[in-house]
Amino acid sequence: MPKLTVKNFGTFDIPCGKRLVLALVDEAGVDQLHACGGNARCTTCRVQFFMGEPDGMTEAEKSVLAARGLLGNASLRLSCQILCDHDMTVQAISRFEGSGRANAGNRPSEQITPPPVWTTR
């Protein structure tokens, strides 16, 4: 079972293969934003990696990070496009608290959406 360490929240056991955005909400209790419902469209589910950043990413994540000028930051990723299959240490940088939004967004599905096509940075 992978361990997820979230800065200022603690370390949690995460079911292998769970989406990071859901692990942040369900296991870590983070008020993580996911305004587009976890579909790699809005970048509100951003996290910063300190350890365990995956080598691969989905084409959807790569595309939206590039469009927003964020692809160059090697530690910045979209939690909705990452599966928890190894130990990771992250900081939740896009949180509901203080966002001014009415809610965090619709709950993302259990599977990565859109269906992942894997690539590299």
Side-chain angles (χ1 to χ4, degrees), residues 65-66 69-76 121:
L65 288 175
L70 301 171
L71 191 59
N73 186 333
S75 65
L76 189 69
R121 193 179 281 273

Side-chain angles (χ1 to χ4, degrees), residues 13-92:
D13 290 325
I14 306 298
C16 191
K18 187 167 190 166
R19 290 175 83 174
L20 178 55
V21 66
L22 294 175
L24 288 166
V25 172
D26 296 344
E27 278 77 22
V30 176
D31 58 336
Q32 179 69 40
L33 285 174
H34 41 76
C36 73
N39 294 298
R41 291 192 308 251
C42 68
T43 73
T44 61
C45 69
R46 291 183 313 268
V47 295
Q48 180 179 7
F49 271 86
F50 292 94
M51 187 207 74
E53 180 180 353
D55 292 328
M57 66 174 32
T58 66
E59 286 185 0
E61 178 183 18
K62 186 174 185 175
S63 176
V64 75
L65 288 175
R68 302 279 171 90
L70 301 171
L71 191 59
N73 186 333
S75 65
L76 189 69
R77 299 290 298 270
L78 300 183
S79 64
C80 74
Q81 298 295 296
I82 295 172
L83 296 175
C84 295
D85 59 5
H86 63 280
D87 294 351
M88 302 174 188
T89 301
V90 301
Q91 181 172 5

Side-chain angles (χ1 to χ4, degrees), residues 100-114:
R101 294 180 177 269
N103 59 52
N106 292 331
R107 183 173 172 84
S109 70
E110 299 298 317
Q111 279 74 39
I112 289 178
T113 53

